[in-house]
Amino acid sequence: MPLQSDLVLDSAKFHLKNVSQDTKDFNEGLLKIGSQIPKWWEVGAQRYREMRQNGETPLPKPTHLPQAQTLKVPSRDPGRDIPCRVIKPQNGQASKGVFCHMHGGGWALQDEASQDELLEYLADTFHFTAISVGYRLAPEHPFPDGPQDCHDVAEWLVDNAERHFGCPLVVAGGEGEIMSHYQAVVLPSTTAEQRTSPSASPMYANLKALKLPPALFAVGTEDCLLDDSLLMSAKWQVAGGRGVLKIYPGGAHGFCLFPIGSKTKRQDLLALKWPSPPRNVLLLKKKHAPNVDAAFLEFLRHVQSSYPSTSVVLERDVAEQTQHQLDQPVYTQIDKQSNFRLADKIDLIVTLGGDGTILHAASLFSRSAPVPPVLSFSMGTLGFLGEWRFSEYKRAFREVFVSGADTSNEVVHQGAQAGVMRSDDEDAQNTPSSLPSSWSTVRGKFMGHGRHARILLRNRLKVAVTASGPVETETRSHVFAMNEVIIHRGSDPHLAILDVFVGGRFLTEAVADGMIISTPTGSTAYSLSSGGSIVHPLVPSLLLTPICPRSLSFRPLVLPANTPITLRLSEKNRGRQVDVSIDGVKLDEGFSVGMEINIRAEDIRDELGNWTGGVPSIVRAHAGADAGSEDSWVGGLNGLLKFNYPMGEE
């Protein structure tokens, strides 16, 4: 048996074939820009800083945000302060901690205001207060002036962050580096021995003598500091610290500083890659539709015959009606009394029906995150959310099933998700088997591990109903909604009166038949019928739409996705209770005077940047498709909703 290395890296990260074409094009553009302008050491640091501010370098022109504040921190030098840039969360969320940021530029270029957009993103996403240090720059102020300023600010934050910002210093980091030309201005007149001082380079420090915090090392394979990052992350772990190394194929130096807007259309979508074949498929269908029933049986038999290691899970009533027509068993245990937790068991959802069937699928996971990928075949009345025609079902299911698979992978896996059903489960008699499967059991052509099915991640609402008062009483557990939350007066003859709060601030007293809070996905449903805007599902937003308001000036609103919305049934309400429905399902308990509904967008990424929320919808083309291929959303507007359809034409 060959020896196994104690340090393992994924060599595929360094293969040119795993660098997307968009990244290659972007890198070529950077090289082209860089070849057309002078190098900073040719024109001098001061002149290059001016060029950076004017957008004349490969990096985009800095955007200075108006909400940024200035902070002055005392220096170790008497009578001198260190300027700092402060950016707080703007999404209504309280800050959980302070991030001390040391901007890039090799200790010679840029300044604390060069990365406002990046810091705003970090502040809003991770609920940080970002403090960017305006340290002194070389060659005017060579080493150790710049690092000393950073140390002074960090030490000041350790002692004063909670008092000034209400939260402690929790993260420190940045994009600093020293390379050959920078070395000449940052470390002038130093010997090779002097440059091995731990204060100049942590590579020479005795890290074992320190209490190390967790550290993230992010680097691209085309970064000139790739070797430094590999070595430092290993050294960090050798010293007993938790070091996370993230390598990005094709990433150039400073790739994280380029704005999200530089992505292409294809990069707005995610890629689906299974670690092993999906084991358990939840198959849902539109009920009381004979054409769907026939297609359902055809699809089910195809999966059972062509993918024998895959278990099909059905709803209980469907399983009872269908079992006698099948040669192989299906599995079920989906009801309110079951201890069968779908989120732990299901790898893939397939729907045959219309938009209502997709909403029903999402409702089965309304208390769970994440939701498995959804492959939807349009067989309903409208089918605006359905992505595929049923005639494509063999190709569609195959592309999804082998998405990202490597033909060289012959290792036997135990399932695509951690919650695969096993024979020792307490409900094992009604769950799929746990026989292992591998890609080698799948016949036909693979797309290749660099080609994936494409995922459109649909945002959900996170909804909670609470009692109002100085101290909140019982809070019902959170529920996720894919489409909308609707408050309506129901059969009561009087208009509902609702107090509306946005971002914690009172907005208005709404007098109307009701209110709709919807996602972009839900913008083409009831909200559209009530006069709301149509919003593309890739736009992170919430829609607040009144239903038949008394005031003609009460117009629908589109708000940032991270804005919390609260609706409170006013004491002025003549009807003491109104109806509440979430994705078309009416709440059993009424919504009474004084109660509140708190709504905000679901967090779709965790603090490490992993995708953990939303409803991943599988769209038609794989990641290798042309950027100009049809956008099904635009096609739906034209073909299904007849957007701006000329009057008098058929």
Side-chain angles (χ1 to χ4, degrees):
M1 180 178 178
L3 289 175
Q4 299 295 318
S5 173
D6 291 329
L7 181 63
V8 179
L9 292 176
D10 183 2
S11 61
K13 297 274 188 179
F14 302 87
H15 293 170
L16 185 60
K17 64 181 180 181
N18 290 329
V19 179
S20 70
Q21 188 59 47
D22 298 312
T23 300
K24 294 176 183 177
D25 294 342
F26 183 76
N27 288 345
E28 289 179 5
L30 281 182
L31 292 173
K32 183 177 181 180
I33 294 174
S35 66
Q36 296 172 348
I37 63 173
K39 305 297 186 290
W40 73 264
W41 55 87
E42 296 172 346
V43 299
Q46 180 58 43
R47 171 59 186 145
Y48 200 83
R49 294 171 200 152
E50 296 172 357
M51 294 171 60
R52 168 79 169 96
Q53 293 298 319
N54 295 331
E56 299 171 0
T57 71
L59 287 172
K61 182 179 180 179
T63 298
H64 297 151
L65 300 178
Q67 68 266 29
Q69 302 172 357
T70 299
L71 171 71
K72 292 185 177 181
V73 174
S75 165
R76 68 183 69 187
D77 303 325
R80 188 178 69 85
D81 292 330
I82 304 168
C84 296
R85 188 87 162 172
V86 181
I87 295 182
K88 298 179 180 180
Q90 299 294 306
N91 53 9
Q93 298 290 329
S95 182
K96 297 179 180 179
V98 171
F99 168 41
C100 182
H101 174 255
M102 283 74 81
H103 66 79
W107 304 104
L109 307 175
Q110 304 199 73
D111 58 28
E112 69 276 14
S114 295
Q115 291 153 27
D116 279 8
E117 288 183 315
L118 172 64
L119 297 182
E120 179 190 41
Y121 168 78
L122 295 174
D124 287 346
T125 302
F126 303 111
H127 313 317
F128 286 157
T129 292
I131 313 290
S132 188
V133 182
Y135 56 80
R136 291 170 289 177
L137 300 174
E140 298 91 336
H141 301 280
F143 181 85
D145 289 358
Q148 282 183 353
D149 287 349
C150 296
H151 294 161
D152 290 348
V153 172
E155 290 180 351
W156 184 87
L157 289 173
V158 169
D159 297 331
N160 299 281
E162 281 200 88
R163 180 161 57 90
H164 279 263
F165 304 106
C167 49
L169 174 68
V170 294
V171 179
E175 310 87 28
E177 72 286 322
I178 297 180
M179 292 173 280
S180 58
H181 289 286
Y182 291 91
Q183 179 179 296
V185 296
V186 179
L187 299 166
S189 305
T190 56
T191 65
E193 182 178 358
Q194 290 172 324
R195 291 194 290 271
T196 61
S197 168
S199 60
S201 173
M203 277 301 299
Y204 298 99
N206 179 17
L207 299 183
K208 292 183 178 180
L210 304 175
K211 184 179 180 181
L212 299 175
L216 170 65
F217 301 87
V219 66
T221 57
E222 298 298 318
D223 196 324
C224 51
L225 296 181
L226 174 61
D227 291 348
D228 303 67
S229 299
L230 296 176
L231 291 171
M232 195 63 203
S233 63
K235 185 179 178 72
W236 200 270
Q237 296 178 64
V238 168
R242 180 170 177 248
V244 176
L245 174 66
K246 297 297 291 184
I247 302 172
Y248 296 88
H253 183 65
F255 67 93
C256 61
L257 302 181
F258 292 90
I260 295 175
S262 65
K263 293 183 177 181
T264 67
K265 173 182 171 183
R266 281 178 291 173
Q267 290 175 303
D268 288 330
L269 302 177
L270 305 180
L272 173 64
K273 182 173 183 178
W274 302 104
S276 58
R279 291 289 315 286
N280 305 312
V281 176
L282 175 63
L283 179 58
L284 303 172
K285 74 179 185 71
K286 180 180 180 179
K287 299 179 181 179
H288 312 298
N291 65 317
V292 176
D293 292 341
F296 168 81
L297 287 173
E298 181 180 348
F299 181 89
L300 179 53
R301 289 170 177 146
H302 170 70
V303 172
Q304 290 185 329
S305 62
S306 301
Y307 305 86
S309 297
T310 299
S311 300
V312 179
V313 182
L314 306 178
E315 293 178 285
R316 178 173 292 277
D317 59 338
V318 176
E320 292 173 350
Q321 297 169 9
T322 309
Q323 180 61 49
H324 69 280
Q325 303 179 61
L326 301 172
D327 297 329
Q328 300 182 43
V330 291
Y331 303 90
T332 187
Q333 196 170 354
I334 303 174
D335 54 42
K336 293 182 179 179
Q337 290 73 39
S338 174
N339 59 358
F340 183 107
R341 190 172 184 274
L342 284 177
D344 292 338
K345 306 295 185 181
I346 301 301
D347 301 322
L348 175 66
I349 303 171
V350 177
T351 67
L352 305 178
D355 296 349
T357 309
I358 298 174
L359 285 177
H360 174 60
S363 71
L364 296 176
F365 297 83
S366 62
R367 298 183 184 276
S368 304
V371 179
V374 180
L375 174 62
S376 55
F377 294 94
S378 181
M379 303 185 70
T381 305
L382 183 62
F384 188 77
L385 303 181
E387 289 287 345
W388 300 79
R389 296 184 295 271
F390 182 72
S391 59
E392 304 170 297
Y393 77 88
K394 291 183 179 180
R395 177 177 67 87
F397 187 80
R398 175 168 189 78
E399 287 186 4
V400 172
F401 191 87
V402 301
S403 178
D406 191 341
T407 55
S408 64
N409 182 4
E410 297 181 356
V411 179
V412 175
H413 298 278
Q414 290 296 323
Q417 292 190 357
V420 172
M421 305 174 184
R422 303 185 187 283
S423 58
D424 57 353
D425 284 352
E426 57 182 310
D427 53 3
Q429 68 275 15
N430 291 309
T431 61
S433 67
S434 59
L435 293 175
S437 61
S438 70
W439 298 116
S440 59
T441 64
V442 183
R443 299 185 299 272
K445 181 180 178 182
F446 284 77
M447 292 193 296
H449 73 276
R451 301 176 69 187
H452 310 84
R454 300 169 70 195
I455 293 289
L456 169 62
L457 195 63
R458 298 184 181 274
N459 293 356
R460 296 190 295 179
L461 303 175
K462 188 174 184 180
V463 187
V465 180
T466 64
S468 180
V471 179
E472 286 189 352
T473 56
E474 182 183 18
T475 300
R476 302 178 194 174
S477 59
H478 288 101
V479 176
F480 295 105
M482 178 178 170
N483 247 23
E484 73 244 325
V485 177
I486 300 171
I487 300 179
H488 197 277
R489 64 184 176 90
S491 59
D492 193 287
H494 305 293
L495 295 177
I497 304 177
L498 298 165
D499 294 330
V500 182
F501 298 82
V502 175
R505 300 181 62 183
F506 178 76
L507 174 66
T508 188
E509 182 185 78
V511 182
D513 276 357
M515 294 289 295
I516 303 170
I517 309 297
S518 73
T519 63
T521 297
S523 70
T524 52
Y526 196 177
S527 175
L528 177 61
S529 301
S530 300
S533 299
I534 299 176
V535 180
H536 195 286
L538 285 173
V539 179
S541 56
L542 302 177
L543 289 81
L544 191 154
T545 307
I547 305 172
C548 300
R550 185 175 65 181
S551 172
L552 292 176
S553 63
F554 193 175
R555 311 307 301 162
L557 298 178
V558 179
L559 303 168
N562 49 25
T563 303
I565 298 174
T566 299
L567 303 178
R568 179 188 300 159
L569 192 59
S570 172
E571 294 288 346
K572 302 177 184 179
N573 211 72
R574 296 176 66 184
R576 309 310 288 172
Q577 187 169 291
V578 295
D579 295 336
V580 175
S581 64
I582 299 175
D583 277 353
V585 180
K586 184 178 177 181
L587 295 187
D588 294 332
E589 300 179 39
F591 187 64
S592 304
V593 168
M595 297 184 71
E596 293 181 352
I597 292 186
N598 300 297
I599 304 168
R600 64 178 181 84
E602 176 189 14
D603 294 325
I604 60 174
R605 302 185 79 164
D606 63 19
E607 294 183 353
L608 296 177
N610 300 312
W611 301 97
T612 58
V615 179
S617 303
I618 300 168
V619 297
R620 290 174 60 85
H622 58 71
D626 293 334
S629 60
E630 178 190 6
D631 185 329
S632 60
W633 184 82
V634 174
L637 286 185
N638 291 327
L640 298 174
L641 297 184
K642 305 299 182 184
F643 182 75
N644 196 29
Y645 201 68
M647 296 180 62
E649 293 187 16
E650 297 184 5

